[in-house]
Every structure is written in structure tokens, then in C-alpha cells.
Amino acid sequence: MRPVSDPRRLSRTAVPSFVCFVVSVFLGCAGPPKHPTWKNATGAEAHERLMWQAIRDRDWSNFERHLAPAFVGIEESGKAVNRSEWVQYWKSATVGDYSIGEVVVQPEGPDLVVTYVISFADPNPGSSQKVRILSVWQQVKSRLVLTASSITPVGNSPR
């Protein structure tokens, strides 16, 4: 015959266990962070936004840290550039307010292909107000690095 357990003891252990369970469920369902940083960003779209923020804020150390050593870029003019030329391209640009839309992220193994349209409030002379970006991010160890990116003007087709 089993002894009857003390109901007070059950409630003292069951309530804290239940509270811990509920809290862990809500934390797990919270989704991506409201204000992503390089340490807590959860995907390629957040990393793209952080790259633009780094360009705007002229945070070159974070910008360069997230470019792959073998990075390849295509400038708006169509010129192919390497990593150091890409950094110089953006250092010579002035990026103010911008908005990003039409974002599509396509996973491809350890890579993530991101396409989107970015609109600049005040573009640089000789550049477009609206461009389409195609970026490829690759997971290396525990972080994402940008391996390739291209810029194509939107709505500025030659006549």
C-alpha cells in the first residue's frame, strides 16, 4: 500500500514548476528581437538591416567584420569589385534615411540568398533613389558573413 502524499507539498512544487514552464514557452515564442544587434540577430534580413545601419552610422569595423574575405560585389554602375573596393565604395558614399521593402529570404544549405528593394531619401549624386539588392550570406562557425552582393537600379532602364 502506497502512502498518501501531502497535498500541500504537491502544490509547493507544482506551482513553481508550472510557472517556469509557462515562462519558457513564452520566451521561446517571442520571435526575433525587437532591436537586433550583431550578437542577437537571427537571420539574413536582420543582418542586411544591420549592414545598412553600419554604413549609415559609418561603423566600418562592424561592416568589415561581416564581409567574407573572398567577398565579391557589383556596384550600381555594373562594375565588379573585391572586398576592399566594396568597403571604399561605401566609405565614399553618404547614406542617410532609407527604407527596405519587398524582402525575400531563400535558404540554400548553409547560405541565405536575400533580395529586396531599398529606397534612399537623399541619394548620392549619380546614384538611384531606389535599387534592388541581391545578397548572399553564408554561415561560418556561429555567425553569418556576406559573401556577395549586387546593386541594380530600379526604374532607371535605358531608353
Side-chain angles (χ1 to χ4, degrees):
M1 182 176 202
R2 298 181 87 190
V4 177
S5 63
D6 183 5
R8 289 174 292 176
R9 181 170 181 217
L10 178 64
S11 65
R12 277 186 267 153
T13 58
V15 171
S17 296
F18 179 73
V19 169
C20 287
F21 171 74
V22 170
V23 168
S24 67
V25 167
F26 281 119
L27 290 176
C29 297
K34 287 186 181 181
H35 303 289
T37 64
W38 290 110
K39 291 184 180 187
N40 70 7
T42 58
E45 180 179 352
H47 279 77
E48 276 297 325
R49 292 179 186 279
L50 287 166
M51 285 297 259
W52 284 107
Q53 184 178 332
I55 293 169
R56 185 192 63 207
D57 297 345
R58 308 190 73 69
D59 180 3
W60 303 120
S61 64
N62 270 319
F63 180 75
E64 291 182 55
R65 188 176 300 124
H66 292 88
L67 288 178
F71 174 85
V72 176
I74 305 293
E75 296 176 354
E76 191 173 353
S77 66
K79 179 184 175 195
V81 297
N82 64 26
R83 183 181 191 274
S84 62
E85 292 168 323
W86 190 253
V87 171
Q88 288 308 311
Y89 177 81
W90 289 110
K91 281 185 175 181
S92 68
T94 304
V95 174
D97 290 336
Y98 59 87
S99 63
I100 295 175
E102 301 179 35
V103 180
V104 177
V105 178
Q106 298 173 327
E108 184 63 41
D111 301 335
L112 296 161
V113 178
V114 185
T115 59
Y116 58 94
V117 173
I118 185 167
S119 300
F120 299 102
D122 189 18
N124 293 317
S127 64
S128 301
Q129 181 176 5
K130 198 181 227 187
V131 293
R132 180 165 302 281
I133 305 290
L134 179 134
S135 294
V136 179
W137 289 85
Q138 185 175 50
Q139 184 154 1
V140 177
K141 296 184 183 176
S142 63
R143 67 187 185 112
L144 291 175
V145 293
L146 185 60
T147 59
S149 191
S150 70
I151 305 169
T152 305
V154 174
N156 292 346
S157 58
R159 295 179 184 196

